[in-house]
Amino acid sequence: MTVLAGIGFTAPWVLLGLLTLPILWLILRAVPPAPIRRLFPAVTLLLGLKDEESVSDRTPWWLLLLRMLAAAAIIIGLAGPVLNPSRDQAGSGPLMLVLDASWAGATQWSSTLDQIDAQLAEAGRAGRTVAILSLTQPEMPVFQSAEDWRGRLPGLAPAPWQPTEIQIEQTTAALKQLDGGFDTHWLSDRLDYDGYDAILAELQRRGEVTVYQSASPVFAILPASYQDGLIQLTAQRSEAGPAEEISVLAQGRDPAGAMRVLQSVDMTFDSGETQAQVDLSLPSELRARITRFEIQGQRSAGALTLTDDSLRRREVALIAGTLNREGLELLSPLHYLTQVLIPTADFVEGGLLDVLPANPDVIVLADVAKLSAGEQEAMVEWVEQGGLLLRFAGPRMAASDLGRDAEDALLPVRLRSGGRSVGGAMSWGEAKGLAPFPEESPFYGLEVPSDVSVTTQVMAQPDPNLADRVIASLSDGTPLVTRKALGLGQVVLFHVTADAEWSSLPLSGLFVEMLDRLAVASAAKSRQESQLQGTTWEPIQVMDGFGTLTDAGNLSGVDGVDLVSGQIGPDLRPGLYESGKQKLALNVLTEDAALTPISWPADVPIKGQEISTETPIGGILLSLALLLLTLDVIASLALSGRLGLARAAAVALGAVLIAPDAQAQTPEDTEFALNATTELVLAHVLTGNAEVDDIAGAGMRGLAQTLFYRTSVEPADPIGVDLERDELAFFPLLYWPITPDQPQPSAEAYSKLNAYLRSGGMILFDTRDSDVARFGAASPNGRKLQQLAGPLNIPSLEPIPRDHVLTRTFYLLQDFPGRYASTDVWVESAPLDAEQIDGMPFRNLNDNVTPVVIGGNDWAGAWAVDRNGQALLPVGRGYAGERQRELANRFGVNLVMHVLTGNYKSDQVHVPALLDRLGQ
């Protein structure tokens, strides 16, 4: 494309016709020729006569200018003028498009696809072959025509990982096998990763490399951490900038099981900072329901973090050294602990050796002094595996010799013999209060009430490690709570009783807060390699690049060590994993991850992904030329005095030109009607979402090909239908994919839809969300379907019965899967008087076609193929996935046959053949 004065021309050589305008001016000036003056005496005989028609001796200058402008408009219009043309030079030779295609580019993926489409269009005009290479899913590059690649764009999607080391090596090896040179346009996701420089060096060796990347920073959220009774959230952005605020949504299931936003919190990036933090305090019941945190408005796997067992209710075992005295419940050493933990924990009952196999999160020993050798050994092993042992002192512990001569494995410090009484009737001293908690204590930040006092305590013996193990002390500096690490777990000792006998601490709100801090620490068990050694974790749900969770299908289990130390990639997908009753969330980012912007060498040009919309104006100029020529005709008639004869024709022409569209059939309408009626055509409703509409079109194309090869039905290419503009009566079947943001049709559109349903048409509503929600309003798509279908005249519905004609119109089916395999498929209810006659395998139904079929299995995604007939989207895994795709195609065939033949298969004449097929 040649750009002149800011306007592009696809055929610039046509502009040479402008050089002929001066010659045309001279020719027009010479016609008609100027009259020659001669003396003729007999002219006196003509005096007094009136000439009804007059001819100008010369063409007026303004008429010549009008004709010159019309000629110039024709020449420029034929040159293919384009406003706002692309300034990039098209270049020549093969072109390779390299895509990072990672989660970091998922939010801007639609812009990336637009950029690829624009690049392919430019390459197509220049006659260049193109290869597309995705670094997160590398394959051997193949150079093809740009038009072939444009049909495959809907199949491109980002991966939930960045290019791995293995993928970098595969890409480099593939590039070295290519022959010849080529230019490269690299569509970057802006984030740095190891190995990109090796690919860049190989590409630069083959030709020029240009980088395209968005100007928007990448946002991500790190895994949530749970400390000191608060959920700590950390968000990052790839580049520092001005102060910016984002919203983080805590999502989970409500009591009815529906996914909801349970809490929203704002986070602020300070100016020049790349990290923002916030602490979220939630009730334990609400906290246990949270399944994910995500940054609002950022649709990527990195902007979402999954939660696992760390937020569930704690399992606590309470064991006391003395039995409860009957009728004196307040004197029980476990009474206050039970009341504190009931809202946040589930209790594991039984003796010590009985509760250890249940692997509770916390074991509480209240004034238990002696353990048997077997109990001691089992308890030590349990703590070393990550458990929390919480002990309380009491008369039994004070009177025993526990931890006197040497440190006990299940005590954080050595103890002195006997207890210390600091207040009360038998002591000269006064009760002691609590000192403020130090910063390194898990209780730091809690307010110490002045009315909390301690009268008796067990004392710790002086020791070099004592200061490091004290996490709470009295006002005189003596230890109140001590703690030590034991393996992956910890042992905590309160140097007072668990009841109010030695202190008023159990009567205060501080006691509740201290236990809550310790319970949070126990639930968030660290996932170390040694702890997961020898375990296998099965994937339950895996995440795609957009952060959407799907069923893991037949993915194999993962070794526990690989789960915490392996690199996320094709063989280790982010998502939710399960081992026994434990669940572990594997997120895209780790707790110590940092977003680093990629740094390109100085010799690599970097451009933005902004696309200037090109506007062809050739048709406008040709229309202007036609208007100028019309004015020329009118002006010529006026100068010759014959305008009156053409006035009626001019008025009629003007009436045609200004007639409203509703009163005239445009050529586009005629062409649409011919395309829709010449052959059988399947149609899909345009939603306004380009990606969804492309998949819907590809799905109907795939279904049409299946019908062509397997039946006598030979559909033409499918058509996308605009409900506001297009006529619906031409199509036997409409596929309507549901998106949360598609506009509500107008009243006129609903009138057409209801007329379409009354005349025998069928609409297949597909919410495409049965992987995450069942039929109803439990998902955004389900709620949108209720809004869209409300004004429609839809009869009562029922789940598709086993004897419905859809189960046998062409294939014998009992399941109707698409990309998903939910059984929630709804059709018109059978008549109340439909009865099954003896000897018949199905009921005697009427001959009507169900006007609607409703489900969420994403049938178009399963049917979708490219121009070469290759499937665009995956369905399941391996053979099971291909079997599911085959059943989806069979359902599509049955659906179209049902639309075309009604309940023809319910006729009794088919009973013998059907019984034979059914083996009865």
Side-chain angles (χ1 to χ4, degrees):
M1 183 183 297
T2 301
V3 179
L4 299 174
I7 300 177
F9 294 93
T10 58
W13 54 270
V14 178
L15 295 177
L16 296 175
L18 294 175
L19 300 177
T20 64
L21 290 182
I23 301 175
L24 184 60
W25 174 276
L26 296 176
I27 293 175
L28 293 177
R29 287 289 293 175
V31 178
I36 301 175
R37 296 181 178 274
R38 301 290 187 188
L39 294 176
F40 184 52
V43 77
T44 55
L45 299 176
L46 303 177
L47 295 176
L49 297 178
K50 183 178 181 181
D51 191 357
E52 297 294 338
E53 295 183 1
S54 61
V55 178
S56 175
D57 61 344
R58 287 189 179 276
T59 304
W61 67 269
W62 54 268
L63 187 57
L64 284 175
L65 180 61
L66 189 67
R67 293 172 179 175
M68 292 298 99
L69 291 175
I74 293 174
I75 295 172
I76 298 175
L78 294 177
V82 176
L83 286 180
N84 200 23
S86 173
R87 299 285 181 171
D88 295 337
Q89 297 295 327
S92 60
L95 173 65
M96 177 173 290
L97 299 179
V98 176
L99 315 178
D100 281 346
S102 71
W103 63 265
T107 300
Q108 303 292 333
W109 191 248
S110 59
S111 299
T112 300
L113 291 181
D114 291 341
Q115 179 66 239
I116 296 174
D117 187 66
Q119 300 259 4
L120 292 175
E122 188 68 25
R125 287 194 292 263
R128 309 179 72 180
T129 57
V130 181
I132 296 182
L133 175 61
S134 173
L135 298 183
T136 51
Q137 298 174 348
E139 296 179 354
M140 187 66 189
V142 178
F143 287 93
Q144 299 177 347
S145 68
E147 195 59 33
D148 289 341
W149 280 110
R150 295 185 77 177
R152 295 162 61 181
L153 288 185
L156 297 178
W161 57 80
Q162 288 190 284
T164 64
E165 181 180 352
I166 295 177
Q167 291 174 331
I168 296 293
E169 294 175 356
Q170 292 175 345
T171 301
T172 306
L175 292 175
K176 291 180 178 179
Q177 297 180 26
L178 295 178
D179 298 326
F182 51 84
D183 293 336
T184 301
H185 291 175
W186 192 323
L187 279 72
S188 168
D189 292 340
R190 295 184 65 88
L191 288 190
D192 190 16
Y193 53 89
D194 295 334
Y196 85 94
D197 49 349
I199 299 177
L200 178 61
E202 184 63 28
L203 293 174
Q204 287 182 314
R205 191 174 66 84
R206 301 303 186 98
E208 295 183 359
V209 177
T210 303
V211 172
Y212 293 82
Q213 62 185 23
S214 172
S216 302
V218 178
F219 288 87
I221 185 169
L222 304 186
S225 61
Y226 314 99
Q227 298 179 5
D228 301 334
L230 299 174
I231 302 175
Q232 297 182 352
L233 300 175
T234 302
Q236 293 186 357
R237 56 181 177 179
S238 58
E239 297 178 10
E244 186 172 1
E245 186 176 273
I246 62 173
S247 294
V248 175
L249 306 179
Q251 295 193 354
R253 298 194 179 277
D254 61 13
M259 188 64 70
R260 291 283 187 269
V261 175
L262 303 180
Q263 185 74 13
S264 175
V265 61
D266 293 331
M267 303 180 69
T268 301
F269 290 94
D270 294 333
S271 179
E273 296 295 329
T274 60
Q275 184 166 294
Q277 292 182 330
V278 70
D279 293 337
L280 186 60
S281 177
L282 295 176
S284 58
E285 288 288 345
L286 184 62
R287 186 174 60 202
R289 293 185 178 276
I290 296 177
T291 59
R292 71 181 71 181
F293 293 94
E294 62 180 58
I295 301 177
Q296 188 175 23
Q298 298 291 319
R299 186 169 174 247
S300 76
L304 177 147
T305 181
L306 302 174
T307 63
D308 45 31
D309 289 342
S310 55
L311 290 183
R312 64 175 174 82
R313 289 175 63 88
R314 315 306 187 248
E315 292 183 350
V316 180
L318 300 179
I319 299 175
T322 58
L323 295 177
N324 178 26
R325 280 166 282 184
E326 183 177 358
L328 301 178
E329 189 172 322
L330 292 178
L331 298 181
S332 168
L334 299 179
H335 171 74
Y336 296 102
L337 284 171
T338 302
Q339 296 304 312
V340 168
L341 295 175
I342 278 179
T344 60
D346 295 324
F347 297 110
V348 181
E349 298 180 353
L352 184 58
L353 293 180
D354 296 327
V355 301
L356 283 175
N359 192 28
D361 295 304
V362 183
I363 294 180
V364 179
L365 299 182
D367 195 20
V368 176
K370 292 292 185 178
L371 298 176
S372 67
E375 291 175 334
Q376 178 89 0
E377 182 180 354
M379 178 67 77
V380 170
E381 181 181 357
W382 174 81
V383 175
E384 289 178 341
Q385 293 298 319
L388 169 66
L389 173 60
L390 181 61
R391 306 191 68 167
F392 287 86
R396 287 173 173 261
M397 182 177 290
S400 72
D401 58 356
L402 182 66
R404 299 294 186 262
D405 300 329
E407 180 180 321
D408 189 277
L410 296 179
L411 283 177
V413 294
R414 295 170 59 198
L415 301 178
R416 290 184 180 181
S417 177
R420 174 201 182 198
S421 179
V422 294
M426 303 301 294
S427 173
W428 291 101
E430 295 182 356
K432 302 297 182 182
L434 274 65
F437 300 114
E439 291 187 8
E440 61 273 11
S441 170
F443 309 135
Y444 177 72
L446 297 180
E447 184 178 353
V448 178
S450 59
D451 58 347
V452 174
S453 61
V454 175
T455 59
T456 307
Q457 68 181 131
V458 292
M459 296 293 293
Q461 293 193 35
D463 188 272
N465 297 323
L466 179 60
D468 295 332
R469 297 181 179 181
V470 175
I471 58 177
S473 59
L474 298 181
S475 57
D476 61 359
T478 56
L480 174 65
V481 184
T482 54
R483 177 177 66 175
K484 78 172 181 180
L486 181 60
L488 297 177
Q490 54 185 325
V491 179
V492 178
L493 171 64
F494 278 74
H495 291 240
V496 294
T497 57
D499 56 18
E501 186 175 354
W502 284 13
S503 73
S504 61
L505 178 61
L507 303 177
S508 68
L510 177 62
F511 187 60
V512 178
E513 294 175 333
M514 293 173 72
L515 291 181
D516 187 60
R517 291 286 181 94
L518 293 173
V520 169
S522 68
K525 296 178 181 178
S526 58
R527 303 292 185 177
Q528 304 293 333
E529 292 186 19
S530 58
Q531 183 182 357
L532 299 181
Q533 185 76 36
T535 61
T536 300
W537 296 75
E538 299 292 335
I540 305 173
Q541 291 180 309
V542 292
M543 194 186 311
D544 64 13
F546 297 107
T548 303
L549 288 174
T550 57
D551 185 73
N554 297 324
L555 289 177
S556 59
V558 179
D559 182 76
V561 175
D562 295 336
L563 195 62
V564 296
S565 61
Q567 184 181 13
I568 292 179
D571 299 325
L572 184 60
R573 307 280 298 274
L576 197 61
Y577 290 77
E578 183 179 51
S579 178
K581 295 184 178 180
Q582 297 182 346
K583 289 184 174 61
L584 176 62
L586 181 61
N587 291 296
V588 171
L589 298 177
T590 59
E591 294 178 358
D592 56 351
L595 303 185
T596 305
I598 193 168
S599 178
W600 297 98
D603 59 341
V604 176
I606 301 176
K607 299 182 179 181
Q609 286 195 0
E610 295 77 13
I611 300 174
S612 56
T613 304
E614 299 179 345
T615 306
I617 57 173
I620 297 176
L621 290 176
L622 293 177
S623 300
L624 177 61
L626 180 61
L627 178 61
L628 293 176
L629 292 176
T630 302
L631 294 176
D632 175 70
V633 171
I634 296 174
S636 298
L637 292 174
L639 292 176
S640 64
R642 290 177 290 191
L643 182 59
L645 299 177
R647 184 173 298 136
V651 172
L653 178 61
V656 172
L657 291 176
I658 65 175
D661 293 339
Q663 304 298 325
Q665 178 107 10
T666 65
E668 290 80 4
D669 293 337
T670 302
E671 182 181 2
F672 178 83
L674 291 175
N675 291 337
T677 56
T678 302
E679 298 182 74
L680 175 68
V681 175
L682 305 179
H684 62 94
V685 176
L686 297 176
T687 65
N689 186 312
E691 181 179 355
V692 173
D693 292 341
D694 290 341
I695 292 297
M700 303 311 287
R701 179 169 62 245
L703 178 57
Q705 292 181 7
T706 301
L707 289 165
F708 181 84
Y709 290 122
R710 302 187 184 187
T711 72
S712 60
V713 180
E714 299 181 358
D717 288 338
I719 293 178
V721 173
D722 185 340
L723 297 178
E724 304 294 341
R725 184 190 66 217
D726 298 330
E727 177 57 51
L728 307 180
F730 305 137
F731 309 104
L733 172 67
L734 284 180
Y735 174 76
W736 192 337
I738 304 301
T739 61
D741 54 355
Q742 62 181 276
Q744 192 84 3
S746 64
E748 293 77 8
Y750 274 117
S751 177
K752 291 195 296 183
L753 285 168
N754 284 319
Y756 173 75
L757 294 176
R758 287 194 300 270
S759 63
M762 176 191 288
I763 301 178
L764 173 59
F765 290 99
D766 191 352
T767 58
R768 306 173 299 107
D769 60 357
S770 65
D771 59 326
V772 297
R774 300 197 62 182
F775 180 78
S779 69
N781 288 3
R783 292 189 289 273
K784 188 64 178 182
L785 172 60
Q786 288 188 343
Q787 297 175 9
L788 294 174
L792 293 177
N793 185 17
I794 296 178
S796 61
L797 302 176
E798 66 176 353
I800 186 167
R802 297 181 64 86
D803 64 343
H804 195 276
V805 71
L806 270 175
T807 64
R808 58 187 183 276
T809 48
F810 193 86
Y811 291 104
L812 295 180
L813 298 175
Q814 288 301 329
D815 298 311
F816 312 97
R819 288 192 71 204
Y820 315 120
S822 171
T823 58
D824 285 338
V825 181
W826 293 66
V827 296
E828 180 183 5
S829 299
L832 296 178
D833 57 352
E835 298 180 353
Q836 184 170 345
I837 303 174
D838 291 341
M840 290 278 290
F842 39 77
R843 291 172 293 175
N844 182 23
L845 303 176
N846 60 20
D847 290 334
N848 291 334
V849 174
T850 175
V852 296
V853 177
I854 301 177
N857 285 339
D858 192 9
W859 288 291
W863 298 334
V865 298
D866 58 19
R867 295 292 180 181
N868 297 324
Q870 300 297 317
L872 285 180
L873 300 177
V875 176
R877 291 181 62 84
Y879 174 78
E882 292 307 312
R883 175 62 179 169
Q884 183 172 329
R885 191 190 302 277
E886 171 62 21
L887 291 178
N889 287 330
R890 292 186 179 187
F891 170 63
V893 172
N894 277 22
L895 196 66
V896 174
M897 287 298 183
H898 179 47
V899 174
L900 298 180
T901 64
N903 285 348
Y904 162 71
K905 283 289 183 177
S906 288
D907 293 346
Q908 295 185 14
V909 69
H910 297 287
V911 171
L914 291 174
L915 289 176
D916 182 65
R917 290 287 304 278
L918 293 170
Q920 298 181 7

